[in-house]
Amino acid sequence: MKLKGLITLILVIASFGLFAQENPLSRFENIIGHWEGTGEGFGNAESKITADYSWLMNKQYIEVKHHSEFEPTPQNTKGEVHDDKGIISFDSARKVVLFRQYHNEGYFTEYALNDSISTPKQLIFETERIENFVQGGRARFTIKILGDNEIETVFDVGFPEREMACFGTNRLKKQ
């Protein structure tokens, strides 16, 4: 009887290994941390940026925070500050990674990771919806993993009946 109980226990433990699922957000492990760097575009010549990507709630979510400061230019004599915050999560019903992002300018963007064109070194999010933006506009947010301690983020915007165009690029190093 003890042998039967031991065999049952071993089978139960083994089945956990068989049915355990990898965290669908594990592909983002390389971007977790605090990043600093510079950006260009976004209607200004250059910016200083910090970015934080942090695990939340037992690695069920990733919190995203971006802070950019743009120097004054002749077109924008006061300079500018941009902040956005977001959450990356996995929708198990749709089997898709989502990124919901809130911007201090009043925009809300919901992106889905496009697995058909993403790679382990290039994660490409495309909009599913945008609030408080041009009707029919769309955006794409790409994270390029350049190395263990370096990433590049690219923000592309598409206006109605126009091709996507790069709106800004940030190059960041892990601190």
Side-chain angles (χ1 to χ4, degrees), residues 35-126:
W35 301 82
E36 293 181 5
T38 59
E40 40 187 62
F42 303 101
N44 290 289
E46 197 172 297
S47 66
K48 292 181 183 175
I49 180 170
T50 59
D52 290 287
Y53 296 84
S54 309
W55 288 115
L56 290 177
M57 300 180 186
N58 199 30
K59 295 189 173 185
Q60 295 299 304
Y61 306 98
I62 298 171
E63 181 179 38
V64 179
K65 296 179 189 175
H66 296 129
H67 175 79
S68 299
E69 295 182 9
F70 298 89
E71 294 293 323
T73 64
Q75 297 81 16
N76 186 353
T77 58
K78 294 182 180 180
E80 191 173 336
V81 172
H82 169 81
D83 288 304
D84 64 72
K85 295 183 180 185
I87 298 286
I88 297 174
S89 64
F90 182 71
D91 182 339
S92 59
R94 293 174 51 200
K95 300 202 180 327
V96 66
V97 175
L98 298 174
F99 176 27
R100 295 171 181 94
Q101 185 180 43
Y102 298 85
H103 305 264
N104 65 313
E105 299 89 358
Y107 302 115
F108 166 77
T109 311
E110 184 173 83
Y111 299 94
L113 184 69
N114 186 332
D115 270 324
S116 67
I117 58 175
S118 290
T119 68
K121 297 288 185 184
Q122 186 164 286
L123 304 161
I124 302 169
F125 290 92
E126 295 179 328

